[in-house]
Amino acid sequence: MTADLDRSRRYLKPVPRLALLGEPNETHLALYGWEDRLGEWVTSSPAICGRSAEQGDLPMDAEVTCPACIRRRPQYESVLARENDVPPVAARVAARRDPRYPAVRDTIRCYGWNDGSPMVPDGDADLLATRVMAAVRARETAQQPSCGECGHPQDQHTEADDPTSVGQCRQCAAEPDGEDDSWHDYEPKGA
């Protein structure tokens, strides 16, 4: 079951009550995610209602009976859906290294309310600029034809200094043991 789940995401998973006297016999919901340090999927404790819960092996489609968890479920699902909109770490790093990033960040920071306060606070402006730049870069990459030799986008290929030299693919050069294969000119697929 967990083999089908994306390790980079978190989910809501039914969990049993903590086996203590006085705890209501209810099935709760808890955040469920991959824990790299343990090398396994784990559920958070407490459950989303605030009550302590067991790890348990309940199936993802088990019936949730805790009224507080049921009430909070839509709010948690909304937050988890937005988490999936965050670009991967590599895309965020590349976005911040893009030479256009400072201009995007400064543009976002310059917008303000009538009273002069910023519309987007500094930390949030950096985050928003990173997401905007990552989205721009993703769209640019998707629109670029890829190289017939290596499959990387055209903008990753440098042009040769003279007609007798070959260019280099930066993505191939960054791959382990890829230095030798990185020296080739961009050639569109099917050319």
Side-chain angles (χ1 to χ4, degrees), residues 11-165:
Y11 302 88
L12 287 176
K13 184 178 190 307
V15 290
R17 71 178 181 92
L18 189 62
L20 292 175
L21 284 174
E23 278 295 308
N25 189 17
E26 297 171 335
T27 301
H28 298 278
L29 273 175
L31 289 172
Y32 185 59
W34 180 257
E35 178 55 57
D36 283 327
R37 290 175 291 155
L38 300 174
E40 61 185 43
W41 290 90
V42 296
T43 52
S44 64
S45 185
I48 65 173
C49 65
R51 297 194 86 94
S52 295
E54 296 284 348
Q55 282 290 317
D57 287 327
L58 295 178
M60 292 293 272
D61 60 352
E63 182 182 1
V64 176
T65 57
C66 170
C69 286
I70 293 169
R71 257 191 328 275
R72 289 184 174 98
R73 180 180 215 151
Q75 180 182 8
Y76 274 80
E77 286 175 341
S78 173
V79 169
L80 291 175
R82 285 195 311 270
E83 276 185 359
N84 298 331
D85 294 338
V86 176
V89 172
R92 293 193 310 262
V93 169
R96 288 189 175 169
R97 289 183 178 158
D98 190 293
R100 300 170 291 179
Y101 174 78
V104 171
R105 185 191 57 222
D106 293 345
T107 301
I108 291 170
R109 285 181 179 167
C110 79
Y111 287 101
W113 300 105
N114 290 339
D115 66 0
S117 64
M119 201 172 276
V120 181
D122 274 348
D124 292 340
D126 292 347
L127 177 63
L128 182 57
T130 301
R131 288 184 178 184
V132 167
M133 201 65 244
V136 166
R137 291 173 57 82
R139 177 164 284 181
E140 289 171 349
T141 301
Q143 292 173 346
Q144 289 181 6
S146 55
C147 178
E149 185 168 341
C150 67
H152 295 131
Q154 184 176 2
D155 73 345
Q156 293 301 306
H157 292 78
T158 59
E159 292 186 21
D161 294 333
D162 60 66
T164 59
S165 300

